[in-house]
Amino acid sequence: MARRKKSSYIIVFLIAFGLILILNWTGGDYIKQGALAFINPVENFLQKQTTVVRKNISSWFYSKSKLRSKVEKLTNENSQLLFQINKEKSFQEENVQLRKALGLEINQEMDLRAVKNIGVRLNRGEILINKGEDDGLRENQTVITPNKEIVGTSNRIYPHYSTVKTIFTEGSSWKVFVYDQKSDSRIEGVIRGKGYSDLELDLVPIQTPLEKNNIVVTQESSFWPADLIIGEINKIYLQDLESFKKASVTPRINLNELSLLFIVKSF
Amino acid sequence: MNFFSHVKKYLWSLLFLVIQLSFFNVFHVGGVTPSLLLVLVVGYIFFSQQPSAGLFLWSGFLIDIFFYPGFGIGILTLIIIGFLFSKLVKRFLFQSHLLVFLGSIFLVTFLYHFLVWGISHGLPFLLTNISVVNLPSFVFIIGQSLYNIGIALIVFFLFNKKYLQ
């Protein structure tokens, strides 16, 4: 009996290894592509509804006691109306953002391609976008918002989808400038992703002045253009024995609220 | 056993995956989301008479599709966890005891991340470069363990002996 069980374990391990080898050998992208196409509409729909529910719950908790019931009623009515005009509104918003990005200076500086955020993988600090290899996307292309805020770079490209490694991804680092509006000066540093919504500014020389609310923007590299907004300095850590300063940075973007984005094809 | 009861567990894992990808991406705690498929696999080990290797394989396959590049990390991790725990549970632990179940979820979350790192970086690399396991990663795993325990509590009362037989 025990021998039979042992051999069944070996068979399962062999099947698993065989499956892994075959899938990786043949690429397996078509399976991922098919699974994403199947799950993504459901995922996207549920995520949107959950966001509406979360907003309703937050407003319910934070509203003052006298106004609570009124606000709740209005919020419910509002969300019902929002459901009805959801499609039209999203098209309108998209139009406005497209016009804003394509008509203004952002399009004169860079060659952009509009994409949509269709899923978030918070644990990995990644998002999923609706364009892939067939649309001309390549690895390491920068993704930005219509307001010139950096989101990240494309990392895994499938025929019709791609994943984007965001600025929050652990282990990611970006060369940046910290702008001080008061003195109109800039300081070099490096931003490191620390998991979702946490960014750390590092390698700022100890003698340089660093203040709260200073704006952090990208330095130009071969992958991304300069002056893409990352966030603002939130807290500065003073370390006596270190030769560099560190600071925490409040990001401008919220992965759950990203919708229309742009791939920077060239700049 | 009819066809539906046979495929039920696979449909549950699909449902858990969709909930993880949608609901918990919004209701996260500081970027930490639970790993529902891991909770489901451990739940099956605890509450079913015959833990199914097919479920470990399927859940790992889903994890690979949606969370990791290529194929292998999810499948191998869940198969190793599945076999280790089903042996451990059958031999030493009291099945369907709430505290044992919750404690196991806590430990399995650590084991899961250790195996994922081990498989993706290679165990010798991980052991010689233990600094990759830094404080934020540790805090993340603790957070996910606690979140998983919360989910496991719901799973325990919903599924204990009722549906997973």
Side-chain angles (χ1 to χ4, degrees):
Chain A
M1 185 75 178
R3 193 171 232 184
R4 215 174 126 189
K5 220 171 184 181
K6 215 172 190 175
S7 65
S8 74
Y9 287 160
I10 293 167
I11 289 167
V12 171
F13 268 105
L14 285 176
I15 291 172
F17 269 113
L19 195 67
I20 291 164
L21 280 178
I22 290 167
L23 287 172
N24 286 322
W25 207 318
T26 55
D29 281 355
Y30 52 93
I31 293 178
K32 291 201 176 194
Q33 174 81 22
L36 286 170
F38 177 67
I39 295 283
N40 197 258
V42 183
E43 174 196 349
N44 215 0
F45 173 78
L46 288 175
Q47 200 167 315
K48 272 183 186 161
Q49 304 314 317
T50 315
T51 308
V52 173
V53 170
R54 188 188 174 148
K55 277 182 182 164
N56 285 344
I57 291 171
S58 319
S59 64
W60 186 80
F61 271 110
Y62 292 113
S63 60
K64 288 177 183 173
S65 56
K66 282 183 183 176
L67 292 171
R68 188 179 289 165
S69 59
K70 203 176 177 183
V71 171
E72 192 184 1
K73 198 182 163 193
L74 284 170
T75 315
N76 284 338
E77 282 177 7
N78 193 29
S79 59
Q80 274 175 7
L81 284 168
L82 275 173
F83 277 127
Q84 287 168 9
I85 58 167
N86 190 23
K87 233 177 185 174
E88 286 99 322
K89 201 187 166 198
S90 66
F91 279 129
Q92 276 175 8
E93 273 175 15
E94 208 173 307
N95 268 341
V96 169
Q97 286 179 321
L98 271 168
R99 253 184 256 132
K100 194 174 156 191
L102 297 172
L104 299 179
E105 88 246 42
I106 188 170
N107 197 39
Q108 289 158 16
E109 295 166 12
M110 304 172 230
D111 180 12
L112 302 174
R113 170 92 204 227
V115 294
K116 257 187 153 183
N117 172 27
I118 52 168
V120 181
R121 306 280 177 267
L122 278 184
N123 284 356
R124 295 182 59 77
E126 288 181 353
I127 60 166
L128 201 67
I129 54 173
N130 68 337
K131 297 274 187 275
E133 204 175 1
D134 290 356
D135 307 287
L137 260 67
R138 298 188 314 275
E139 276 184 20
N140 294 322
Q141 284 183 313
T142 307
V143 181
I144 62 171
T145 67
N147 298 321
K148 279 184 79 175
E149 295 145 343
I150 189 162
V151 177
T153 53
S154 54
N155 66 338
R156 290 198 302 277
I157 315 287
Y158 304 109
H160 302 296
Y161 297 91
S162 306
T163 60
V164 174
K165 188 175 88 172
T166 67
I167 49 173
F168 304 113
T169 308
E170 268 208 77
S172 69
S173 59
W174 310 72
K175 277 188 165 185
V176 294
F177 283 127
V178 182
Y179 275 103
D180 184 6
Q181 286 120 317
K182 279 184 206 162
S183 61
D184 200 20
S185 61
R186 68 183 194 182
I187 306 157
E188 281 192 53
V190 168
I191 278 282
R192 294 187 207 287
K194 292 276 171 190
Y196 181 60
S197 83
D198 278 341
L199 293 172
E200 184 188 73
L201 177 69
D202 197 3
L203 301 182
V204 176
I206 198 87
Q207 71 277 11
T208 51
L210 200 63
E211 280 184 35
K212 203 178 165 184
N213 298 331
N214 282 173
I215 305 285
V216 182
V217 298
T218 55
Q219 277 189 44
E220 187 170 328
S221 83
S222 50
F223 297 119
W224 54 84
D227 294 328
L228 298 174
I229 302 161
I230 291 178
E232 290 168 19
I233 301 268
N234 175 34
K235 194 177 177 186
I236 300 153
Y237 302 109
L238 298 168
Q239 304 169 107
D240 292 340
L241 299 171
E242 301 280 336
S243 50
F244 295 106
K245 273 182 191 171
K246 282 185 179 181
S248 77
V249 173
T250 308
R252 278 279 183 91
I253 57 166
N254 179 345
L255 294 189
N256 283 321
E257 287 171 8
L258 295 177
S259 175
L260 179 71
L261 301 170
F262 292 98
I263 286 269
V264 181
K265 295 183 88 178
S266 63
F267 54 91
Chain B
M1 192 185 271
N2 61 23
F3 176 74
F4 182 69
S5 62
H6 190 68
V7 296
K8 205 162 61 175
K9 52 181 176 276
Y10 301 104
L11 295 176
W12 272 117
S13 61
L14 210 56
L15 181 71
F16 270 48
L17 175 84
V18 172
I19 294 171
Q20 182 171 343
L21 290 175
S22 55
F23 183 83
F24 287 105
N25 269 340
V26 179
F27 284 95
H28 59 87
V29 183
V32 178
T33 58
S35 180
L36 294 197
L37 288 175
L38 189 65
V39 175
L40 182 79
V41 164
V42 179
Y44 258 93
I45 295 168
F46 266 80
F47 306 131
S48 87
Q49 302 286 348
Q50 287 255 302
S52 151
L55 182 78
F56 308 154
L57 204 72
W58 171 245
S59 302
F61 182 66
L62 289 179
I63 286 179
D64 274 338
I65 286 180
F66 289 93
F67 298 102
Y68 296 110
F71 288 92
I73 296 174
I75 293 175
L76 287 179
T77 305
L78 284 204
I79 281 188
I80 292 170
I81 285 176
F83 284 143
L84 276 180
F85 249 76
S86 48
K87 279 217 144 193
L88 203 70
V89 167
K90 293 276 182 274
R91 278 209 184 157
F92 304 109
L93 301 175
F94 305 101
Q95 277 181 296
S96 58
H97 189 286
L98 179 63
L99 286 179
V100 179
F101 178 51
L102 297 185
S104 303
I105 290 285
F106 191 81
L107 289 177
V108 165
T109 310
F110 273 85
L111 180 64
Y112 173 80
H113 284 282
F114 179 77
L115 287 170
V116 165
W117 281 336
I119 292 166
S120 44
H121 294 289
L123 204 56
F125 174 86
L126 185 66
L127 294 175
T128 49
N129 296 275
I130 201 73
S131 60
V132 293
V133 190
N134 50 21
L135 187 65
S137 320
F138 191 69
V139 171
F140 175 85
I141 298 170
I142 292 269
Q144 196 178 53
S145 307
L146 295 175
Y147 213 156
N148 281 349
I149 284 178
I151 302 300
L153 209 59
I154 299 167
V155 168
F156 185 88
F157 289 115
L158 276 180
F159 293 83
N160 184 18
K161 298 277 183 189
K162 209 171 176 185
Y163 300 104
L164 295 173
Q165 293 287 351

